[in-house]
Amino acid sequence: MSSTGKKSVLILGGGLAGLTAAKRLIDRGFDVKLIEKRNIFGGKVSSWQDGEGDWIESGTHCFFGAYDVLYDLMREIGTYDAVLWKKHELTYTLAKGENFTFRTWKAPSPFHLTPAIIANNYFSFSEMFTFTKALIPLVLKRDKYPPTQDHLTFAEWAKNFGVKDRFLQKMYRPMALALKFIPPEEITAKIILDVTEVFLRIPHASRMGFLKGAPDQHLIQPLVNYVTDKGAVVQKDIKAKSLMFDGEKITGVELTNGEVLSADYYLSALPIHNLNKVVPENLRQKHSVFETIRSFKGVPVISVQIWYDKQISDIDNVLFSPDGVIPVYADLANTTPEYRTLRGKPYKGKSRFEFCVGPAKELMRLSDEEIVKRVHESICDCYPNESKGAKILKSTVVRIPQSVYAPLPNFDAKRPPQKSPVKNLFLAGGFTQQPYYDSMGGAVFSANLASEGICNAAGVKY
């Protein structure tokens, strides 16, 4: 118990999950301290200004309509209006300037997706019929069906139903890489089927939105301000070295500077690879769940931003591409009004793209210059006419060696709950058990569950 007489909580990690938990717990009367090893908050949702004043993001942050828990949080801190909802359609750009768009109707589910099936003007009726038929078990069994397919990759699942490789690669390769940065041949079928089931069941779930500006300004810093205004202690540049476990409970957290922090309850909101670094051997030996999660591996991610001297795309929405190295991207000059700047000056009538580049593990060894070159080639291939004569005014490359956990077949059952077997230790993050996996929605959902668990343990109403 803290000097204030309140139950105390120490949160490791200042990403979206850690900050959400800080809000939930400070709202319920806990004495909260949060530490973050980097010099910025936000984790996978971090953004920062470079030396020229331009905002750089850790990745392309699309706001799925399904993330209700995220929007509840944003309403609570007064930033929901910063989400700009886009037209409810998904556009794919392909090599040689080809493209197609999946549109929706305002109709009850699953009929809202009818235009995507009958009027996409790219896939044949036979291809769409085969895939639609493959979804019948999903429609009938709904959320009970995806867990039964976790032993398969999505590619294996699709081939079992006769789905042709062309459909798999053109339709689902960019989706798999957008969701978890690994291709259909690696990702578990469960994730793709879970997402598809939600899209089928909830008409607004597949609608996309973008923030009007930087995540730091419209989500992360408002969260930091909220919790600090209510008395939470939030600190950057502080790195945990190890949890201290006495065989029954966590007694403290040793920092790399030798200091020890203690609290009544401990919440790890670290990414899985960093959590594994701070778990001591005696904790692994006592509780097998901490040995199990050592097998979780982070997926490398590369994000590229390019400012061009002309407008290449006029689409104000997320874009997918199965060809080249840009599976998901957006022209931020269209989607994000506050990003229409370059080096502090207005930047209008030109394209400022942000790309998820992948699969990143095949590209991490390349120089920044080579990665930008390949991205530019992909853009020129998708927009052969619009890109003629286009010159790059500026580019940035962000590399994250380990980002989300790799959701391979047979891994879902290994995901731990938020309440650990140690009575005062709780976990939050996309790798823990919740329906939105490693995403902004998953970060908030897991933080809500972890906070509820701490409240229950402390006898506090959640």
Side-chain angles (χ1 to χ4, degrees), residues 163-182:
V163 176
K164 300 299 183 184
D165 191 63
R166 174 180 178 272
F167 185 91
L168 177 69
Q169 296 303 324
K170 297 300 184 182
M171 172 67 180
Y172 274 97
R173 178 179 175 81
M175 181 179 287
L177 289 168
L179 288 170
K180 295 292 166 273
F181 313 112
I182 57 177

Side-chain angles (χ1 to χ4, degrees), residues 334-374:
N334 298 328
T335 63
T336 310
E338 294 175 8
Y339 279 177
R340 293 169 190 157
T341 61
L342 173 59
R343 301 185 177 101
K345 296 181 180 180
Y347 178 80
K348 297 180 180 179
K350 304 178 181 69
S351 285
R352 173 188 175 172
F353 287 108
E354 183 171 65
F355 307 91
C356 164
V357 181
K361 68 179 181 181
E362 302 168 4
L363 303 169
M364 291 290 281
R365 60 181 175 79
L366 302 179
S367 67
D368 287 358
E369 292 75 17
E370 179 61 28
I371 290 172
V372 170
K373 177 176 178 288
R374 294 197 184 190

Side-chain angles (χ1 to χ4, degrees), residues 76-273:
E76 292 171 28
I77 61 174
T79 64
Y80 175 74
D81 289 344
V83 181
L84 305 179
W85 292 106
K86 307 305 179 182
K87 193 172 182 180
H88 195 175
E89 59 186 31
L90 302 178
T91 296
Y92 284 62
T93 61
L94 299 93
K96 300 180 181 178
E98 291 188 299
N99 64 79
F100 63 91
T101 299
F102 287 114
R103 296 182 171 86
T104 60
W105 281 343
K106 289 185 178 180
S109 63
F111 301 107
H112 63 291
L113 296 177
T114 301
I117 297 172
I118 65 174
N120 66 80
N121 299 320
Y122 182 77
F123 296 112
S124 68
F125 175 81
S126 174
E127 288 173 311
M128 292 306 301
F129 179 76
T130 298
F131 182 68
T132 302
K133 189 168 63 172
L135 294 179
I136 290 176
L138 187 64
V139 173
L140 295 177
K141 299 178 183 178
R142 301 177 68 166
D143 60 344
K144 302 294 189 296
Y145 179 67
T148 68
Q149 305 303 302
D150 188 48
H151 61 291
L152 299 171
T153 67
F154 185 71
E156 290 169 340
W157 176 88
K159 289 175 182 177
N160 285 348
F161 282 94
V163 176
K164 300 299 183 184
D165 191 63
R166 174 180 178 272
F167 185 91
L168 177 69
Q169 296 303 324
K170 297 300 184 182
M171 172 67 180
Y172 274 97
R173 178 179 175 81
M175 181 179 287
L177 289 168
L179 288 170
K180 295 292 166 273
F181 313 112
I182 57 177
E185 294 78 15
E186 297 179 28
I187 194 170
T188 171
K190 181 181 183 296
I191 284 188
I192 304 294
L193 293 171
D194 270 333
V195 171
T196 303
E197 191 275 330
V198 171
F199 286 0
L200 286 169
R201 177 167 46 86
I202 305 174
H204 71 271
S206 57
R207 188 182 182 191
M208 299 286 192
F210 285 79
L211 288 179
K212 66 181 182 181
D216 182 73
Q217 293 186 310
H218 299 293
L219 178 56
I220 301 305
Q221 193 57 45
L223 265 174
V224 172
N225 293 343
Y226 181 97
V227 299
T228 54
D229 286 348
K230 295 195 73 171
V233 176
V234 176
Q235 297 177 307
K236 296 181 286 189
D237 294 309
I238 296 182
K239 185 177 181 181
K241 179 181 179 182
S242 178
L243 299 173
M244 302 173 69
F245 180 58
D246 69 359
E248 296 295 330
K249 65 182 183 302
I250 302 299
T251 59
V253 174
E254 182 184 2
L255 307 181
T256 54
N257 64 8
E259 185 182 355
V260 173
L261 301 179
S262 60
D264 296 312
Y265 299 96
Y266 300 83
L267 171 55
S268 170
L270 300 171
I272 186 63
H273 60 282

Side-chain angles (χ1 to χ4, degrees), residues 7 30 265 426 452-461:
K7 293 286 187 179
F30 286 83
Y265 299 96
F426 296 79
E452 183 177 10
I454 290 173
C455 287
N456 290 339
V460 174
K461 184 178 180 181

